[in-house]
Amino acid sequence: MDAAALLLLVDIVDAGGLSQAARKRRMSRANVSYHLSQLEKTVGVQLVRRTTRRIEPTEAGLKLYRHGRAIRDELLAAQESVASLTEGLHGYVRLALPTGFGQVVMSRWLIEFKRMYPSITLELLFDNRVDNLLRDEVDVAVRVMSDPPPGLVARELAPMRHIACASAEFALRHGMPATLEALHEVPIITSTVVGRELRLAAYQGQERRELALQPTLASENFQFLHEAIVAGLGVGLVPDYLVADDVAAGRVVTTLDEWRLSLFGTRLYLLRMPDRYQTLATRTLIDFVLERAQRWAQSPVPA
């Protein structure tokens, strides 16, 4: 059996299709299909079947895939072991970050990480999608959600809390909404996701309320949202870390503090694919993020 064809089968199953595997391998789709066919002729059974959305392994294909994955992981570990003798800790990690928490909080962590491990190459994707771990070959993703998606390995990093806030000047001129319903009567500044209705969930004890909102100013750029709130353009519905310093200094005031507010989720998770080999660089980054997140969550005023 051709070991190279076995490793190609691993890439096909991981990618979920011939075209995706071909792009990863920088091969033509026809070439990938040919080598897969040759492997199936060698073993004498069908190894993958096509569904409406993706390719899935047959029972025989799954057995070969597991053997191939073990071989691939051993090869990668051997390469790392030899390289570390001469080059020290190095490698490449592709990390996806939420736009807000990634820009405002994690940027400082990752700069510190690069200073500690200059030979590790980081590629950072600032976006809010959850489905890109496989499609974009992301090694690790940090996401805000209430429950992690099935099929992924998830580690909870910290709770997430939104607050209703406005500049002290805005509050003095217009007052602050004292009830959830009053949010409909003020200009709302918040983040949003294209194609999704913005719904605010509010919790108080066992009670849960939900409101549909029409923000007058929405952006995925959290630095802009911060500036708009401080400038007095409306009531912000934003994560508490975004305005923590301003609240402490009295520049921004909060309201509806008796409610626990959530727009996109109540917890921050670190996500990864269950079957993807973790390089030493990836494991080092995961441990670093877990430690920094724990420290951040335990600080009196996370920032």
Side-chain angles (χ1 to χ4, degrees), residues 266-286:
T266 56
R267 293 183 288 274
L268 186 73
Y269 286 97
L270 185 146
L271 307 173
R272 63 176 179 83
M273 296 292 293
D275 299 327
R276 182 170 293 168
Y277 176 73
Q278 290 183 58
T279 64
L280 182 56
T282 300
R283 296 196 299 273
T284 301
L285 177 63
I286 289 174

Side-chain angles (χ1 to χ4, degrees), residues 23 31 91 93 135 169 210 228 232 284 303:
R23 282 196 295 271
N31 201 5
V93 186
R135 183 182 62 243
E169 179 186 359
E210 192 170 287
T284 301

